[in-house]
Short mmCIF file of all heavy atoms in Angstrom, two decimals:
data_model
loop_
_atom_site.label_atom_id
_atom_site.label_comp_id
_atom_site.label_asym_id
_atom_site.label_seq_id
_atom_site.Cartn_x
_atom_site.Cartn_y
_atom_site.Cartn_z
N MET A 109 -12.32 2.46 8.66
CA MET A 109 -10.99 1.99 9.07
C MET A 109 -9.90 2.53 8.16
O MET A 109 -8.82 1.93 8.02
CB MET A 109 -10.96 0.46 9.07
CG MET A 109 -11.41 -0.13 10.40
SD MET A 109 -11.43 -1.94 10.38
CE MET A 109 -9.75 -2.35 9.95
N ALA A 110 -10.18 3.68 7.55
CA ALA A 110 -9.21 4.24 6.59
C ALA A 110 -7.88 4.56 7.28
O ALA A 110 -7.83 4.90 8.46
CB ALA A 110 -9.79 5.50 5.96
N HIS A 111 -6.82 4.48 6.50
CA HIS A 111 -5.47 4.79 6.98
C HIS A 111 -5.39 6.26 7.40
O HIS A 111 -6.08 7.11 6.85
CB HIS A 111 -4.49 4.51 5.82
CG HIS A 111 -3.05 4.58 6.21
ND1 HIS A 111 -2.29 5.69 6.02
CD2 HIS A 111 -2.24 3.65 6.78
CE1 HIS A 111 -1.05 5.45 6.44
NE2 HIS A 111 -1.00 4.21 6.89
N SER A 112 -4.50 6.51 8.34
CA SER A 112 -4.39 7.89 8.86
C SER A 112 -3.98 8.89 7.77
O SER A 112 -4.30 10.08 7.88
CB SER A 112 -3.40 7.93 10.01
OG SER A 112 -2.17 7.41 9.60
N SER A 113 -3.31 8.45 6.72
CA SER A 113 -2.93 9.40 5.66
C SER A 113 -4.18 9.92 4.94
O SER A 113 -4.15 10.99 4.32
CB SER A 113 -1.98 8.74 4.66
OG SER A 113 -2.59 7.63 4.05
N ILE A 114 -5.27 9.17 5.00
CA ILE A 114 -6.53 9.63 4.40
C ILE A 114 -7.19 10.63 5.34
O ILE A 114 -7.51 11.76 4.95
CB ILE A 114 -7.48 8.43 4.12
CG1 ILE A 114 -6.88 7.56 3.00
CG2 ILE A 114 -8.88 8.92 3.78
CD1 ILE A 114 -7.72 6.34 2.64
N THR A 115 -7.36 10.24 6.60
CA THR A 115 -8.08 11.13 7.52
C THR A 115 -7.26 12.41 7.77
O THR A 115 -7.82 13.50 7.85
CB THR A 115 -8.40 10.40 8.84
OG1 THR A 115 -7.26 9.66 9.25
CG2 THR A 115 -9.55 9.43 8.65
N ASP A 116 -5.94 12.29 7.84
CA ASP A 116 -5.10 13.49 8.01
C ASP A 116 -5.19 14.41 6.79
O ASP A 116 -4.93 15.60 6.89
CB ASP A 116 -3.61 13.11 8.15
CG ASP A 116 -3.28 12.54 9.51
OD1 ASP A 116 -4.17 12.53 10.38
OD2 ASP A 116 -2.13 12.11 9.70
N GLY A 117 -5.51 13.82 5.63
CA GLY A 117 -5.47 14.60 4.38
C GLY A 117 -6.75 15.37 4.10
O GLY A 117 -6.81 16.14 3.13
N ILE A 118 -7.78 15.18 4.92
CA ILE A 118 -9.06 15.85 4.64
C ILE A 118 -8.94 17.36 4.88
O ILE A 118 -8.55 17.77 5.99
CB ILE A 118 -10.18 15.22 5.51
CG1 ILE A 118 -10.38 13.77 5.09
CG2 ILE A 118 -11.48 16.02 5.39
CD1 ILE A 118 -11.35 12.98 5.95
N PRO A 119 -9.24 18.17 3.88
CA PRO A 119 -9.10 19.63 4.06
C PRO A 119 -10.01 20.14 5.18
O PRO A 119 -11.13 19.65 5.36
CB PRO A 119 -9.55 20.21 2.71
CG PRO A 119 -9.44 19.09 1.74
CD PRO A 119 -9.67 17.83 2.51
N ARG A 120 -9.51 21.12 5.92
CA ARG A 120 -10.23 21.61 7.11
C ARG A 120 -11.57 22.26 6.75
O ARG A 120 -12.48 22.32 7.56
CB ARG A 120 -9.38 22.63 7.86
CG ARG A 120 -8.34 21.95 8.71
CD ARG A 120 -7.76 22.90 9.74
NE ARG A 120 -6.35 22.55 9.93
CZ ARG A 120 -5.35 23.33 9.62
NH1 ARG A 120 -5.57 24.55 9.16
NH2 ARG A 120 -4.11 22.94 9.78
N ASP A 121 -11.68 22.78 5.52
CA ASP A 121 -12.91 23.49 5.18
C ASP A 121 -14.04 22.57 4.69
O ASP A 121 -15.09 23.06 4.28
CB ASP A 121 -12.62 24.57 4.12
CG ASP A 121 -12.23 23.96 2.79
OD1 ASP A 121 -11.86 22.76 2.76
OD2 ASP A 121 -12.29 24.67 1.77
N VAL A 122 -13.83 21.27 4.74
CA VAL A 122 -14.92 20.36 4.33
C VAL A 122 -15.80 20.10 5.56
O VAL A 122 -15.35 19.49 6.53
CB VAL A 122 -14.37 19.01 3.79
CG1 VAL A 122 -15.51 18.12 3.31
CG2 VAL A 122 -13.38 19.25 2.67
N SER A 123 -17.04 20.60 5.50
CA SER A 123 -17.87 20.51 6.71
C SER A 123 -18.57 19.15 6.83
O SER A 123 -18.89 18.71 7.92
CB SER A 123 -18.89 21.64 6.74
OG SER A 123 -19.65 21.59 5.57
N THR A 124 -18.81 18.48 5.70
CA THR A 124 -19.49 17.18 5.78
C THR A 124 -18.51 16.04 5.51
O THR A 124 -18.06 15.85 4.37
CB THR A 124 -20.65 17.13 4.75
OG1 THR A 124 -21.51 18.21 5.02
CG2 THR A 124 -21.41 15.82 4.84
N VAL A 125 -18.15 15.34 6.58
CA VAL A 125 -17.30 14.15 6.46
C VAL A 125 -18.03 13.01 7.16
O VAL A 125 -18.29 13.09 8.35
CB VAL A 125 -15.92 14.37 7.11
CG1 VAL A 125 -15.06 13.11 6.97
CG2 VAL A 125 -15.20 15.57 6.51
N GLU A 126 -18.40 11.98 6.41
CA GLU A 126 -19.14 10.87 7.02
C GLU A 126 -18.34 9.58 6.86
O GLU A 126 -17.68 9.37 5.84
CB GLU A 126 -20.51 10.73 6.36
CG GLU A 126 -21.33 12.01 6.54
CD GLU A 126 -22.81 11.72 6.48
OE1 GLU A 126 -23.26 10.80 7.18
OE2 GLU A 126 -23.50 12.41 5.70
N TYR A 127 -18.42 8.74 7.89
CA TYR A 127 -17.67 7.48 7.90
C TYR A 127 -18.63 6.31 7.69
O TYR A 127 -19.56 6.14 8.47
CB TYR A 127 -16.92 7.32 9.22
CG TYR A 127 -15.78 8.32 9.33
CD1 TYR A 127 -16.02 9.63 9.76
CD2 TYR A 127 -14.50 7.97 8.94
CE1 TYR A 127 -14.98 10.56 9.82
CE2 TYR A 127 -13.46 8.89 8.99
CZ TYR A 127 -13.71 10.18 9.43
OH TYR A 127 -12.69 11.08 9.47
N TYR A 128 -18.42 5.55 6.62
CA TYR A 128 -19.28 4.38 6.40
C TYR A 128 -18.63 3.14 7.02
O TYR A 128 -17.41 3.08 7.19
CB TYR A 128 -19.60 4.17 4.91
CG TYR A 128 -18.42 3.90 4.00
CD1 TYR A 128 -17.97 2.60 3.75
CD2 TYR A 128 -17.77 4.95 3.36
CE1 TYR A 128 -16.92 2.35 2.89
CE2 TYR A 128 -16.69 4.71 2.50
CZ TYR A 128 -16.28 3.41 2.28
OH TYR A 128 -15.21 3.17 1.44
N LYS A 129 -19.49 2.17 7.36
CA LYS A 129 -18.99 0.95 8.00
C LYS A 129 -17.96 0.29 7.09
O LYS A 129 -18.14 0.27 5.86
CB LYS A 129 -20.14 -0.03 8.28
CG LYS A 129 -21.02 0.43 9.42
CD LYS A 129 -22.11 -0.60 9.68
CE LYS A 129 -23.15 0.00 10.61
NZ LYS A 129 -24.43 -0.69 10.52
N HIS A 130 -16.93 -0.27 7.73
CA HIS A 130 -15.78 -0.82 7.03
C HIS A 130 -16.16 -1.74 5.85
O HIS A 130 -16.88 -2.72 6.04
CB HIS A 130 -14.94 -1.59 8.06
CG HIS A 130 -13.70 -2.17 7.52
ND1 HIS A 130 -12.79 -1.46 6.78
CD2 HIS A 130 -13.20 -3.44 7.61
CE1 HIS A 130 -11.79 -2.24 6.44
NE2 HIS A 130 -12.02 -3.45 6.92
N THR A 131 -15.68 -1.38 4.67
CA THR A 131 -15.89 -2.13 3.40
C THR A 131 -17.37 -2.48 3.17
O THR A 131 -17.67 -3.55 2.63
CB THR A 131 -15.06 -3.44 3.34
OG1 THR A 131 -15.47 -4.30 4.41
CG2 THR A 131 -13.57 -3.22 3.45
N ASN A 132 -18.26 -1.55 3.56
CA ASN A 132 -19.69 -1.86 3.49
C ASN A 132 -20.43 -0.91 2.52
O ASN A 132 -20.86 0.18 2.91
CB ASN A 132 -20.27 -1.76 4.91
CG ASN A 132 -21.71 -2.23 4.97
OD1 ASN A 132 -22.45 -2.15 3.99
ND2 ASN A 132 -22.11 -2.73 6.13
N PRO A 133 -20.57 -1.32 1.26
CA PRO A 133 -21.22 -0.45 0.27
C PRO A 133 -22.68 -0.15 0.61
O PRO A 133 -23.18 0.93 0.25
CB PRO A 133 -21.13 -1.24 -1.04
CG PRO A 133 -20.22 -2.37 -0.79
CD PRO A 133 -20.14 -2.59 0.67
N ASN A 134 -23.35 -1.10 1.29
CA ASN A 134 -24.76 -0.84 1.64
C ASN A 134 -24.88 0.34 2.58
O ASN A 134 -25.73 1.22 2.40
CB ASN A 134 -25.40 -2.07 2.30
CG ASN A 134 -25.48 -3.21 1.32
OD1 ASN A 134 -25.54 -2.98 0.10
ND2 ASN A 134 -25.46 -4.43 1.82
N HIS A 135 -24.01 0.36 3.59
CA HIS A 135 -24.05 1.49 4.52
C HIS A 135 -23.65 2.79 3.81
O HIS A 135 -24.25 3.84 4.02
CB HIS A 135 -23.14 1.23 5.72
CG HIS A 135 -23.26 2.29 6.77
ND1 HIS A 135 -22.18 2.92 7.34
CD2 HIS A 135 -24.37 2.85 7.34
CE1 HIS A 135 -22.61 3.81 8.21
NE2 HIS A 135 -23.93 3.79 8.23
N LEU A 136 -22.64 2.68 2.94
CA LEU A 136 -22.23 3.87 2.19
C LEU A 136 -23.41 4.42 1.39
O LEU A 136 -23.67 5.63 1.36
CB LEU A 136 -21.06 3.52 1.24
CG LEU A 136 -20.66 4.61 0.25
CD1 LEU A 136 -20.23 5.89 0.96
CD2 LEU A 136 -19.51 4.13 -0.65
N GLU A 137 -24.16 3.51 0.76
CA GLU A 137 -25.30 3.98 -0.05
C GLU A 137 -26.33 4.68 0.83
O GLU A 137 -26.88 5.72 0.44
CB GLU A 137 -25.93 2.82 -0.83
CG GLU A 137 -27.17 3.30 -1.60
CD GLU A 137 -27.47 2.54 -2.86
OE1 GLU A 137 -27.14 1.34 -2.92
OE2 GLU A 137 -28.06 3.16 -3.78
N GLN A 138 -26.59 4.12 2.01
CA GLN A 138 -27.55 4.79 2.93
C GLN A 138 -27.10 6.22 3.21
O GLN A 138 -27.90 7.16 3.18
CB GLN A 138 -27.59 4.05 4.26
CG GLN A 138 -28.48 2.83 4.29
CD GLN A 138 -28.28 2.10 5.63
OE1 GLN A 138 -27.97 2.69 6.65
NE2 GLN A 138 -28.45 0.79 5.59
N LEU A 139 -25.80 6.37 3.48
CA LEU A 139 -25.29 7.71 3.80
C LEU A 139 -25.39 8.64 2.59
O LEU A 139 -25.79 9.81 2.71
CB LEU A 139 -23.84 7.64 4.28
CG LEU A 139 -23.57 6.89 5.58
CD1 LEU A 139 -22.08 6.88 5.90
CD2 LEU A 139 -24.34 7.53 6.73
N LEU A 140 -25.05 8.11 1.41
CA LEU A 140 -25.11 8.93 0.20
C LEU A 140 -26.55 9.36 -0.09
O LEU A 140 -26.82 10.51 -0.45
CB LEU A 140 -24.55 8.16 -1.00
CG LEU A 140 -23.03 7.95 -1.04
CD1 LEU A 140 -22.66 6.90 -2.07
CD2 LEU A 140 -22.30 9.26 -1.34
N LYS A 141 -27.46 8.41 0.11
CA LYS A 141 -28.88 8.66 -0.17
C LYS A 141 -29.44 9.74 0.74
O LYS A 141 -30.20 10.61 0.32
CB LYS A 141 -29.66 7.35 0.05
CG LYS A 141 -30.81 7.17 -0.93
CD LYS A 141 -31.60 5.94 -0.55
CE LYS A 141 -31.32 4.80 -1.50
NZ LYS A 141 -31.94 3.55 -1.11
N SER A 142 -29.04 9.70 2.00
CA SER A 142 -29.64 10.65 2.94
C SER A 142 -28.87 11.97 3.02
O SER A 142 -29.23 12.87 3.77
CB SER A 142 -29.78 10.03 4.32
OG SER A 142 -28.51 9.61 4.73
N SER A 143 -27.81 12.09 2.23
CA SER A 143 -27.02 13.33 2.30
C SER A 143 -27.69 14.44 1.49
O SER A 143 -28.23 14.19 0.41
CB SER A 143 -25.62 13.06 1.74
OG SER A 143 -24.92 14.27 1.62
N SER A 144 -27.61 15.66 2.02
CA SER A 144 -28.18 16.79 1.27
C SER A 144 -27.16 17.35 0.27
O SER A 144 -27.48 18.21 -0.55
CB SER A 144 -28.60 17.89 2.26
OG SER A 144 -27.45 18.27 2.99
N LYS A 145 -25.94 16.88 0.35
CA LYS A 145 -24.89 17.40 -0.54
C LYS A 145 -24.98 16.74 -1.92
O LYS A 145 -25.35 15.58 -2.04
CB LYS A 145 -23.51 17.13 0.07
CG LYS A 145 -23.34 17.73 1.45
CD LYS A 145 -23.20 19.22 1.38
CE LYS A 145 -22.93 19.75 2.77
NZ LYS A 145 -22.63 21.14 2.86
N LYS A 146 -24.61 17.52 -2.91
CA LYS A 146 -24.82 17.03 -4.29
C LYS A 146 -23.54 16.56 -4.98
O LYS A 146 -23.57 15.99 -6.05
CB LYS A 146 -25.45 18.16 -5.14
CG LYS A 146 -26.86 18.55 -4.69
CD LYS A 146 -27.89 17.51 -5.16
CE LYS A 146 -29.24 17.67 -4.53
NZ LYS A 146 -29.37 17.18 -3.15
N ARG A 147 -22.37 16.86 -4.36
CA ARG A 147 -21.12 16.50 -5.05
C ARG A 147 -20.21 15.71 -4.09
O ARG A 147 -19.22 16.24 -3.57
CB ARG A 147 -20.42 17.77 -5.56
CG ARG A 147 -21.24 18.49 -6.65
CD ARG A 147 -20.51 19.71 -7.16
NE ARG A 147 -20.18 20.63 -6.08
CZ ARG A 147 -19.10 21.39 -6.04
NH1 ARG A 147 -18.24 21.37 -7.04
NH2 ARG A 147 -18.88 22.20 -5.02
N PRO A 148 -20.55 14.45 -3.85
CA PRO A 148 -19.79 13.66 -2.88
C PRO A 148 -18.45 13.15 -3.44
O PRO A 148 -18.27 13.04 -4.66
CB PRO A 148 -20.71 12.48 -2.57
CG PRO A 148 -21.67 12.41 -3.70
CD PRO A 148 -21.69 13.72 -4.43
N LEU A 149 -17.56 12.84 -2.52
CA LEU A 149 -16.30 12.17 -2.87
C LEU A 149 -16.13 11.00 -1.89
O LEU A 149 -16.32 11.17 -0.69
CB LEU A 149 -15.13 13.14 -2.75
CG LEU A 149 -13.74 12.58 -3.07
CD1 LEU A 149 -12.85 13.65 -3.72
CD2 LEU A 149 -13.03 12.01 -1.85
N ILE A 150 -15.83 9.83 -2.43
CA ILE A 150 -15.62 8.64 -1.60
C ILE A 150 -14.12 8.36 -1.56
O ILE A 150 -13.46 8.43 -2.59
CB ILE A 150 -16.35 7.42 -2.22
CG1 ILE A 150 -17.84 7.72 -2.42
CG2 ILE A 150 -16.17 6.16 -1.37
CD1 ILE A 150 -18.53 6.78 -3.41
N ILE A 151 -13.61 8.07 -0.36
CA ILE A 151 -12.17 7.76 -0.28
C ILE A 151 -11.93 6.59 0.66
O ILE A 151 -12.54 6.49 1.72
CB ILE A 151 -11.34 9.01 0.11
CG1 ILE A 151 -9.84 8.69 0.09
CG2 ILE A 151 -11.75 9.60 1.44
CD1 ILE A 151 -8.95 9.92 0.04
N THR A 152 -11.04 5.71 0.25
CA THR A 152 -10.76 4.49 1.02
C THR A 152 -9.39 3.93 0.67
O THR A 152 -8.81 4.25 -0.36
CB THR A 152 -11.82 3.41 0.69
OG1 THR A 152 -11.49 2.20 1.38
CG2 THR A 152 -11.90 3.10 -0.80
N ASP A 153 -8.90 3.05 1.54
CA ASP A 153 -7.73 2.25 1.18
C ASP A 153 -8.18 1.24 0.11
O ASP A 153 -9.30 0.74 0.19
CB ASP A 153 -7.23 1.42 2.37
CG ASP A 153 -6.91 2.24 3.61
OD1 ASP A 153 -7.61 3.23 3.86
OD2 ASP A 153 -5.97 1.86 4.32
N GLY A 154 -7.30 0.91 -0.83
CA GLY A 154 -7.60 -0.15 -1.79
C GLY A 154 -7.39 -1.50 -1.11
O GLY A 154 -8.24 -2.39 -1.15
N VAL A 155 -6.24 -1.65 -0.47
CA VAL A 155 -5.94 -2.81 0.37
C VAL A 155 -5.63 -2.26 1.76
O VAL A 155 -4.83 -1.33 1.89
CB VAL A 155 -4.73 -3.60 -0.17
CG1 VAL A 155 -4.25 -4.64 0.83
CG2 VAL A 155 -5.08 -4.28 -1.49
N PHE A 156 -6.25 -2.84 2.78
CA PHE A 156 -6.06 -2.32 4.14
C PHE A 156 -4.74 -2.85 4.72
O PHE A 156 -4.48 -4.06 4.68
CB PHE A 156 -7.27 -2.66 5.01
CG PHE A 156 -8.46 -1.84 4.61
CD1 PHE A 156 -9.28 -2.26 3.58
CD2 PHE A 156 -8.71 -0.61 5.20
CE1 PHE A 156 -10.35 -1.48 3.15
CE2 PHE A 156 -9.77 0.17 4.79
CZ PHE A 156 -10.60 -0.26 3.76
N ALA A 157 -3.96 -1.90 5.23
CA ALA A 157 -2.58 -2.20 5.65
C ALA A 157 -2.48 -3.29 6.70
O ALA A 157 -1.56 -4.10 6.67
CB ALA A 157 -1.93 -0.92 6.17
#
Side-chain angles (χ1 to χ4, degrees):
M109 272 178 57
H111 189 263
S112 55
S113 60
I114 292 180
T115 44
D116 285 355
I118 295 174
R120 280 196 215 115
D121 67 343
V122 183
S123 56
T124 303
V125 180
E126 300 205 49
Y127 290 83
Y128 62 91
K129 287 182 192 158
H130 182 50
T131 62
N132 187 332
N134 294 334
H135 186 230
L136 171 60
E137 176 151 29
Q138 278 173 30
L139 296 179
L140 288 166
K141 215 186 255 174
S142 57
S143 172
S144 59
K145 302 288 184 173
K146 295 283 168 283
R147 295 181 304 147
L149 180 146
I150 305 162
I151 184 162
T152 176
D153 304 36
V155 169
F156 289 86

